[in-house]
Amino acid sequence: MASTLKINTLTGVSTAGSIAVTGEGNSTTTNLQQGLAKARCLFDQTAPEIDDSFNTASLTDTAKGKGIINFTNNMSGALTYSCTMGAVNGNDDHPYCSALTANRAFVTQTTSAFPFRSGYSGHNAASSSGDYADFFDPNGALVVAHGDLA
């Protein structure tokens, strides 16, 4: 018999902000808070505008194919979270694109912002300044952040 649980708040017993969830096969547990995305931003950099978001304050367009996602609530540490990015450019002449994320040698992510770069894969390698000749403004991109909030 199926049942429905309706609640507004989940709180751990031993630690209020920590709830263990039993995984498939009943052999492992996962901390629920650690597994949740802490921010996401779906955007069109050609406009530039945010189409949909969670914990995203704004999008800063810094140059062609380069920008910054600014968080509403900061992450706990600049190097203790990770972001995944996917991008499309809607151009059949160059269907192979790469979403390039923060690279410590050229740009630095902070607790309040995540810089990104979008360029075509298999084209010019990065110069000493970290620039690619083939950056593009994606007309559809999604960045998702995982880690701890401050």
Side-chain angles (χ1 to χ4, degrees), residues 41-147:
C41 183
L42 176 65
F43 63 94
D44 176 350
Q45 195 177 3
T46 63
E49 64 186 10
I50 295 173
D51 298 321
D52 190 36
S53 69
F54 167 71
N55 192 28
T56 301
S58 63
L59 168 67
T60 303
D61 187 5
T62 58
K64 182 178 179 182
K66 300 177 184 180
I68 301 170
I69 303 296
N70 300 292
F71 301 128
T72 303
N73 298 298
N74 289 356
M75 303 301 284
S76 65
L79 300 177
T80 59
Y81 70 94
S82 64
C83 288
T84 304
M85 180 178 174
V88 296
N89 72 339
N91 182 344
D92 291 334
D93 294 335
H94 297 286
Y96 306 104
C97 62
S98 296
L100 310 169
T101 56
N103 177 334
R104 290 185 200 164
F106 308 120
V107 294
T108 303
Q109 69 188 47
T110 66
T111 58
S112 62
F114 182 77
F116 65 87
R117 295 175 176 200
S118 300
Y120 296 109
S121 62
H123 284 228
N124 298 325
S127 68
S128 61
S129 67
D131 287 336
Y132 284 75
D134 296 324
F135 280 121
F136 71 93
D137 285 341
N139 60 5
L142 176 66
V143 172
V144 178
H146 290 271

